[in-house]
Amino acid sequence: MTSFQSDLLRALDERGFIHQLTDAEGLDALASREIVPGYIGFDATAPSLHVGSLVQIMLLRRLQQAGHKPIVLMGGGTSKIGDPSFKDEARKLLTAETINANIASIKRVFERFLTFGEGPTDAVVLDNAEWLDRLEYIPFLREIGQHFSVNRMLSFDSVKIRIDREQSLSFLEFNYMILQGYDFLELSRRAACRLQLGGSDQWGNIVNGIELARRVDGTQVYGLTTPLLTTADGGKMGKTERGAVWLNADQLSPYDYWQFWRNTQDADVGKFLRRFTDLPVDEIVRLERLQGSEINDAKKVLADETTRMAHGEEAALEAAETARRTFEQGGAGDALPTLTVDGQISIVIALTALGFAASNGEARRKLAEGAVRLNGVTISDPSFAIVLEQDEPLRLSLGKKKHGLLTRA
């Protein structure tokens, strides 16, 4: 660990958030003597952010906890283009109506993690559509375009990989890094923003913005990126066989969110506790040293803390109690994912509808493996029809960890 003077960089370093800094000494000195407004951009490509964005949300939380000002920048403008960074192909273009609806939905997530208001360290939400939608093409090219080198832009990994793979990179996408750099310039002017934070894949875009602010306005701004967060087996954080782990409760139930964290691999517990909870580091060290079956206690703490932060105390307690009743007592907790059925349903369709299988074929394979149970009874016949004749719900299980309820319409 590096010896930093500011509370901000010491906290980020201690919890493993720092990968790259453009000027560590300069930022450390600035954060030691004054409030630093810092921002992260979030494009609105879906109605919810997923757990892959949680590192960035927690970065803003740490910024505020250290006495600085978080700026949540919604990409109302950049979402109309799509970030090409490390993508194999262009994103599907979204309508303005869809983007605005996504932004309204995403904003609810930040209220759980940050304190908003009018104070000097209170968080604010801005939307880059406010300035990007008003740009005029020729004036923008003359004022801003002259400061970007195409040769250098082609050297960034986010662009170079697409070209090396001979995958199309549209001129529309190529402009994304220019617009992101311009965002930093605008935020430095509008909100005295001095710091952009992001994942390691955003390094090139962040550097562009820093150089643009220096060349156009002579403003000194800084950049910080986090390391790519992968699981112990090398997988991408937040990717599961059931798809993305969404942060909005209407996209993923608090119970399923709790279970995601409860199923953390042993080797990842300490890393995740540092990144995604507010527990003191000495307590985290104690928990990650637990051995054998005791490590499950640390996983439950991780699940409780992360669910409480994202969904509130009541939802976290309910999810934990549902898990206890389901796994320790064999009951059916109230927070299990539920499917409402009109009379009867094929067991194959029920498995896919609950998200336990990605396809009908996978559902049939699980049935053949003897991994499916209905109210504790193993079902292997793919033609089996589940009939709901009473108001009492039926519990459908796949393996030991996936459980759902079927209720009559």
Side-chain angles (χ1 to χ4, degrees):
M1 288 174 53
T2 306
S3 178
F4 292 113
Q5 300 303 309
S6 64
D7 291 342
L8 173 62
L9 293 188
R10 281 203 305 267
L12 294 182
D13 191 37
E14 185 176 44
R15 291 182 178 266
F17 280 99
I18 298 178
H19 177 56
Q20 296 158 302
L21 280 165
T22 55
D23 178 1
E25 185 177 345
L27 177 59
D28 194 31
L30 183 68
S32 296
R33 67 175 183 264
E34 63 185 70
I35 294 172
V36 178
Y39 94 95
I40 300 177
F42 299 87
D43 279 343
T45 55
S48 171
L49 299 175
H50 55 71
V51 78
S53 299
L54 195 54
V55 171
Q56 312 312 322
I57 296 173
M58 291 301 295
L59 258 182
L60 292 176
R61 184 178 176 88
R62 302 297 179 216
L63 184 74
Q64 189 167 53
Q65 288 173 337
H68 302 284
K69 187 177 185 67
I71 299 172
V72 178
L73 182 65
M74 299 307 305
T78 44
S79 294
K80 295 170 183 174
I81 295 176
D83 186 356
S85 298
F86 300 97
K87 302 292 187 302
D88 291 335
E89 57 186 21
R91 290 186 186 275
K92 180 181 178 181
L93 293 181
L94 303 176
T95 65
E97 292 74 18
T98 298
I99 291 170
N100 290 335
N102 288 347
I103 288 175
S105 180
I106 288 170
K107 280 182 179 179
R108 292 179 287 147
V109 170
F110 294 98
E111 295 170 0
R112 294 282 189 184
F113 294 86
L114 302 171
T115 299
F116 290 85
E118 301 297 327
T121 65
D122 286 339
V124 296
V125 176
L126 300 176
D127 186 344
N128 62 17
E130 184 177 345
W131 51 84
L132 294 184
D133 283 0
R134 299 174 183 175
L135 290 176
E136 296 180 358
Y137 190 60
I138 298 301
F140 181 72
L141 287 180
R142 287 176 60 88
E143 180 186 356
I144 303 299
Q146 62 173 309
H147 299 292
F148 287 83
S149 164
V150 172
N151 304 64
R152 186 152 188 253
M153 291 165 70
L154 289 172
S155 72
F156 289 137
D157 286 343
S158 57
V159 173
K160 192 171 182 294
I161 289 173
R162 286 273 285 274
I163 294 174
D164 290 346
R165 292 175 179 172
E166 297 185 356
Q167 294 166 333
S168 176
L169 178 71
S170 71
F171 181 70
L172 179 70
E173 294 175 283
F174 193 63
N175 276 269
Y176 187 96
M177 63 181 72
I178 299 178
L179 296 181
Q180 185 170 329
Y182 184 71
D183 281 344
F184 205 173
L185 176 64
E186 279 291 329
L187 288 172
S188 72
R189 292 170 170 174
R190 293 167 180 255
C193 183
R194 294 295 175 262
L195 174 64
Q196 183 179 174
L197 309 110
S200 57
D201 60 333
Q202 295 300 312
W203 179 250
N205 293 336
I206 290 173
V207 170
N208 275 337
I210 290 170
E211 294 185 352
L212 183 64
R214 177 180 57 80
R215 289 174 179 172
V216 175
D217 288 349
T219 305
Q220 176 67 62
V221 293
Y222 304 89
L224 182 155
T225 66
T226 59
L228 176 66
L229 188 60
T230 58
T231 54
D233 61 5
K236 191 172 182 180
M237 172 67 181
K239 293 295 184 182
T240 70
E241 61 185 29
R242 293 181 61 185
V245 180
W246 301 107
L247 299 181
N248 283 42
D250 54 0
Q251 298 287 112
L252 185 76
S253 73
Y255 173 78
D256 285 333
Y257 189 77
W258 190 95
Q259 278 294 335
F260 166 76
W261 295 104
R262 170 62 181 82
N263 293 334
T264 294
Q265 298 176 60
D266 293 0
D268 289 327
V269 171
K271 177 170 61 178
F272 289 177
L273 283 167
R274 281 178 173 81
R275 302 293 206 288
F276 303 119
T277 79
D278 288 339
L279 290 177
V281 173
D282 56 355
E283 173 64 7
I284 293 171
V285 171
R286 184 190 71 80
L287 288 169
E288 68 184 342
R289 286 176 177 169
L290 295 176
Q291 299 294 319
S293 61
E294 289 186 341
I295 194 66
N296 289 322
D297 294 333
K299 294 179 183 181
K300 290 175 184 177
V301 171
L302 173 64
D304 289 344
E305 293 295 319
T306 51
T307 305
R308 181 180 297 111
M309 200 174 293
H311 298 294
E313 180 76 23
E314 185 177 346
L317 291 173
E318 184 181 9
E321 176 60 15
T322 294
R324 187 187 68 81
R325 290 171 57 188
T326 300
F327 298 111
E328 296 178 14
Q329 297 181 352
D334 297 333
L336 291 176
T338 300
L339 178 64
T340 302
V341 177
D342 186 9
Q344 69 177 42
I345 187 172
S346 158
I347 194 166
V348 169
I349 298 300
L351 287 168
T352 56
L354 283 168
F356 293 174
S359 65
N360 291 346
E362 182 185 351
R364 294 188 183 96
R365 287 194 297 274
K366 296 298 183 183
L367 286 160
E369 293 168 1
V372 179
R373 300 183 310 283
L374 184 66
N375 275 8
V377 178
T378 300
I379 306 294
S380 58
D381 182 2
S383 64
F384 182 86
I386 302 172
V387 180
L388 287 95
E389 298 176 339
Q390 303 175 353
D391 291 334
E392 187 72 19
L394 301 178
R395 186 176 65 171
L396 184 62
S397 304
L398 175 63
K400 295 181 178 181
K401 295 183 178 180
K402 292 183 179 179
H403 305 272
L405 297 180
L406 304 177
T407 62
R408 190 170 67 170

